[in-house]
Amino acid sequence: MTSSDAAVRDGATEPQPLRRIRLVLALLASATAVGGLVELAMLRHWDAPIQLLPWMVLVVVAVVGVLTARGGSTRLAQATGLAALLTGGIGVLVHLLENLDYGDDLAQYAQTWEAMPFLERLWLVLNGTVTYAPTLAPGMVALSGVILFISVLDRR
């Protein structure tokens, strides 16, 4: 083992390909967050105060992603990534529950919704047949967080 190998192992410097991958991942997290912001704008996702939460999280992910690409704080990127993952996961659950509740409000399911097996109702919600809130859309918030977190994984 050479002294440069020991320096790489100890985190003093990273190999160029790894630095490039980290840069691309951090910028990909930012781009994903910006895409999420565009989607929120197209859906006019601002009617209730709780609907502003994904806006805030995505703006933070976008900014922290750029800062991380420029060598910013690993801990900040990790915390932001985990916060986005948690927010996105909760958002998927909230949208899922809203849609499951919405099914019996639709004329075509008003008489049958409650009698339907749960898995069938779940399938109708997940595939978009019954939708009030796009069930998997908050997954984009979670995805941006995961990408950001991965961009600093094992970085010192």
Side-chain angles (χ1 to χ4, degrees):
M1 179 182 339
T2 66
S3 61
S4 64
D5 291 336
V8 168
R9 188 191 71 235
D10 293 336
T13 60
E14 288 184 324
Q16 184 69 21
L18 182 56
R19 282 199 310 264
R20 286 186 182 146
I21 290 170
R22 289 188 189 286
L23 171 72
V24 168
L25 286 171
L27 294 176
L28 181 60
S30 290
T32 302
V34 169
L37 290 166
V38 169
E39 181 181 20
L40 288 174
M42 289 190 303
L43 293 172
R44 293 181 169 89
H45 197 272
W46 52 64
D47 292 334
I50 191 72
Q51 289 184 317
L52 299 178
L53 183 61
W55 286 88
M56 292 183 282
V57 171
L58 288 170
V59 166
V60 171
V61 169
V63 170
V64 171
V66 171
L67 293 174
T68 302
R70 297 178 52 105
S73 168
T74 298
R75 294 231 189 259
L76 179 61
Q78 290 170 335
T80 302
L82 289 174
L85 175 61
L86 181 64
T87 303
I90 291 170
V92 168
L93 182 62
V94 167
H95 280 208
L96 176 69
L97 294 174
E98 285 178 354
N99 290 335
L100 285 169
D101 191 44
Y102 179 67
D104 60 354
D105 292 340
L106 295 174
Q108 69 196 59
Y109 296 111
Q111 303 300 319
T112 60
W113 188 254
E114 292 300 323
M116 236 183 251
F118 176 75
L119 289 178
E120 186 175 349
R121 286 185 283 156
L122 183 62
W123 175 246
L124 290 172
V125 165
L126 289 176
N127 74 20
T129 303
V130 173
T131 185
Y132 172 73
T135 305
L136 300 178
M140 193 168 201
V141 177
L143 177 64
S144 68
V146 168
I147 296 169
L148 182 60
F149 189 87
I150 290 172
S151 76
V152 295
L153 201 60
D154 216 20
R155 185 176 93 173
R156 290 166 177 60

